[in-house]
Amino acid sequence: MVESVQVGVAQHDITPDDSIWLVGYGDRDHKSEGIYQRLRSGAIYICGTTQSTLIITADLIGFDLAFAARAKAIISELTGLLPEQIILSATHTHCAPFFYPWVMPGSPDKAYANRLIKDLVSVGLAAIKSAQPGNILFSRCSSSFGVNRRLPNKNGGVDFAPNPDGPIDRDLDTLWMIDKSERTIGTLTFYGCHPTSLGGYLIGGDYPGYLCREIERETNTPALFATGCAGNIRPWYPSNEGGFTRPTFEQLESAGKKLATDVLASRKNHRKIRASDMMITGTFHKLPYADVPTSEALHAAAASKDIRLREWAEIMHLHLENGPLPAHCPQEIQLLKLDNEHQVVFLGGEILAEIGLRIKQTLNPTTTITCAYSNGLIGYVPSQSTYDLGGYEVSGSHHLFRRPAPFHRDVEQLIIEQVQLLSKSFN
């Protein structure tokens, strides 16, 4: 048996009770019509010799900075953990409730947001209460699921289309929580691909939900999922046309089961983690925006035919009435050092795959897992190499996240520098 720590795992249903506006697609015009898969949150508590951490995952598109801060503050007060020891991560399914401000059809459901706070607190407390002597195993395999969605075109830009040669992180990583007899008590799997297989008006968790349920069927323990650096990666199902198509439920379930099969097989080659040495640290830093819009530019956007741009312009005008638009956006980064050979980097935002790959390269030879969509979904965070081609992730989506402007092309280097500083703080 490997050296023991205290490990706890819990799971909770977070499916809304009534019809609700969903978030993630700009073409919806009414509330949800049913449920194809129930939504869940999960929590993992790890208590080592000197530090503890609580990782909470949820079948949601993400959390904004304000909601994450509020949830962490309440959990911190009830558990004694510092906010930097608490991680909130979302699977990023686009078929989940609209509960905090976006520029999207519909409006945030405040009642669901209040309920969600209670649910996240409950699952976190349940994980801590269930803690028992145990440890953690790590396994890694490779998956062919997903494809880069930025295809360079002849005009010097990019099309939203499959790019099989584009950058993508194929690592399919899993943490196996085990008891003192080395029996599985829960899992947490990481993979970098958008859960955007389905749209429409049915609530569900997309491929991560099917993946987790298949692992649970085999292990009879809670299975959790967190999405990696997948800002420019999406599911790619077989199609005669060669582009992106919506799968059937059978195809979606099959894809989730295939991923689960790979995860389960990877445990044969697991590594033991000395989790008693676990440490966690974190920081907030500033990501600069590119040119912040002038009042004239906002007036032009307010006259646009695009209803989303008009809504964004109105929000920015209201902001200007109370002061200048911000030049930077806070981003939270957390580094969980499981032992001297394994660590997880949690990042706020829709981080493009190139940044995640560079983080892994920078921290080599330590085995590193990268996890985006954590704590604050601040928008797409592009890699420097994508700026010359532009596109949705670079300059076409900031308004949906209520940001005044796209991020500056230097943000990748700023993130790398912060990750390096966090890593050095452990030495």
Side-chain angles (χ1 to χ4, degrees), residues 169 229 351-364 368 370 383-385 409-417 419-420:
D169 187 345
C229 295
I351 312 296
L352 268 63
E354 293 92 328
I355 297 178
L357 291 168
R358 187 175 171 197
I359 289 173
K360 290 186 175 184
Q361 181 184 39
T362 300
L363 298 181
N364 188 59
T368 302
T370 56
S383 57
Q384 190 167 22
S385 62
R409 66 187 305 141
D410 292 339
V411 292
E412 175 181 339
Q413 184 58 34
L414 294 174
I415 291 170
I416 296 300
E417 291 171 1
V419 170
Q420 288 176 312

Side-chain angles (χ1 to χ4, degrees), residues 23-36:
V23 66
Y25 296 110
D27 60 350
R28 291 186 172 113
D29 59 13
H30 60 276
K31 293 183 178 182
S32 62
E33 297 176 346
I35 301 166
Y36 76 84

Side-chain angles (χ1 to χ4, degrees), residues 132-243:
Q132 59 182 298
N135 217 309
I136 303 172
L137 308 176
F138 167 80
S139 69
R140 168 172 285 176
C141 58
S142 180
S143 175
S144 60
F145 185 68
V147 68
N148 192 294
R149 69 186 192 185
R150 288 171 53 87
L151 181 67
N153 59 38
K154 296 179 180 179
N155 300 319
V158 290
D159 295 325
F160 191 88
N163 180 11
D165 298 323
I168 183 172
D169 187 345
R170 294 289 183 191
D171 289 340
L172 179 58
D173 295 332
T174 301
L175 300 178
W176 304 80
M177 276 51 70
I178 58 175
D179 64 16
K180 61 183 179 181
S181 300
E182 301 199 9
R183 292 175 296 190
T184 302
I185 59 174
T187 60
L188 172 57
T189 296
F190 302 84
Y191 188 64
C193 180
H194 256 77
T196 51
S197 303
L198 297 179
Y201 296 89
L202 297 179
I203 293 170
D206 212 271
Y207 77 85
Y210 287 107
L211 181 159
C212 290
R213 283 162 174 79
E214 181 66 11
I215 293 175
E216 290 169 355
R217 191 177 70 82
E218 294 292 331
T219 65
N220 199 32
T221 60
L224 284 57
F225 184 89
T227 302
C229 295
N232 50 345
I233 311 299
R234 67 159 293 159
W236 190 22
Y237 296 91
S239 164
N240 293 331
E241 293 77 20

Side-chain angles (χ1 to χ4, degrees), residues 333-346:
I333 303 177
Q334 291 166 292
L335 179 56
L336 173 61
K337 184 177 180 181
L338 293 165
D339 64 10
N340 288 330
E341 299 178 359
H342 305 86
Q343 60 192 3
V344 189
V345 179
F346 295 91

